[in-house]
Amino acid sequence: THPYELRDHLALIRCGKPFDSLDRDTRERFLASVDQRFRIVHRTFDDVAHRIGWLEEMVYSLAVRDGCKLIVVDPWNELEHLPEPGESMTNYINWALQRMRQIAEALEVHIAIVAHPKKMGETFKPPTGYDVADSAAFFNKPSLGVTVHQREDDDGEPYVELSVWKVRNRRLYGFYKGRTKVSFDITTQTYGPYQRAHEAAE
């Protein structure tokens, strides 16, 4: 995702308007706020190997240099995953996720990993960590597991189901395992209470 696209999404979320439509003063305040609160790191097109070692360096820089407390790796499958000779992908993924937990604990940050599920065919079941390719470690290693799942109601109207399938520390996070329906507003790039289209129009 290009940084400008993320900037435009943040403008919609924080200001309720597209970036290009913001007046000069609002735009300057918005950019100053975003620069203070966000850092965007993305892959380059040179000869750098974007492996776990590269990710470790990025996380360390973001945590120590920039003071970031929440680091989102999106998506996990864009990294170059190369197990050692003779090492299975399952064992490698288990090690890599364990390494991410160790780094998060050492630097006192939260690392959120966005991983897409393997192809599941026709199913109404929201995927969990067990449905991510290569390893059950995607279910076993996280402290918190959440799925954002696009669905349709009986009338064919779209909604989003948020499914919390793993909570290691309920007191820390303040919620429990379960599911809830929400609506996604593409104009503001935000989620809100679920409403059917005809109910919202009334």
Side-chain angles (χ1 to χ4, degrees):
T1 304
H2 197 283
Y4 285 147
E5 186 175 349
L6 294 176
R7 178 205 64 187
D8 294 344
H9 286 174
L10 289 171
L12 289 169
I13 293 169
R14 300 177 69 86
C15 303
K17 295 181 180 180
F19 180 79
D20 291 338
S21 70
L22 300 178
D23 61 68
R24 180 177 177 180
D25 289 342
T26 303
R27 183 178 295 188
E28 289 180 356
R29 288 195 303 271
F30 164 73
L31 289 175
S33 174
V34 168
D35 185 60
Q36 184 180 27
R37 290 175 172 82
F38 294 89
R39 292 292 179 269
I40 299 172
V41 177
H42 56 85
R43 291 182 53 164
T44 56
F45 295 98
D46 51 25
D47 293 330
V48 174
H50 299 92
R51 301 173 186 166
I52 291 297
W54 173 83
L55 180 58
E56 288 184 19
E57 292 178 7
M58 295 301 102
V59 169
Y60 183 85
S61 295
L62 291 168
V64 175
R65 181 192 64 197
D66 297 321
C68 295
K69 290 299 182 183
L70 170 61
I71 298 170
V72 180
V73 180
D74 182 13
W76 175 259
N77 61 330
E78 282 295 317
L79 294 172
E80 299 173 34
H81 299 293
L82 295 176
E84 294 293 327
E87 181 184 25
S88 70
M89 182 60 75
T90 297
N91 287 339
Y92 163 80
I93 293 293
N94 189 70
W95 167 82
L97 295 180
Q98 180 64 38
R99 183 62 183 149
M100 289 295 99
R101 284 194 60 178
Q102 292 171 346
I103 294 170
E105 291 171 1
L107 297 176
E108 296 184 346
V109 298
H110 182 82
I111 299 177
I113 294 176
V114 178
H116 298 283
K118 58 191 175 185
K119 292 184 178 180
M120 299 172 62
E122 290 293 331
T123 178
F124 296 102
K125 174 188 173 185
T128 70
Y130 285 128
D131 298 303
V132 180
D134 299 321
S135 178
F138 284 104
F139 185 93
N140 297 324
K141 292 300 181 185
S143 296
L144 179 65
V146 180
T147 295
V148 180
H149 189 47
Q150 291 183 318
R151 302 285 298 272
E152 289 184 354
D153 63 19
D154 294 337
D155 298 326
E157 294 184 11
Y159 68 91
V160 177
E161 183 176 80
L162 301 180
S163 174
V164 180
W165 40 266
K166 178 78 173 286
V167 184
R168 191 181 299 273
N169 189 330
R170 294 175 179 175
R171 293 183 63 186
L172 174 64
Y173 294 110
F175 52 85
Y176 297 82
K177 291 189 289 185
R179 301 179 188 177
T180 187
K181 290 181 179 180
V182 295
S183 295
F184 180 70
D185 186 339
I186 195 170
T187 303
T188 60
Q189 296 286 301
T190 57
Y191 294 98
Y194 171 68
Q195 273 189 315
R196 294 188 178 187
H198 68 273
E199 295 173 346
E202 293 177 356

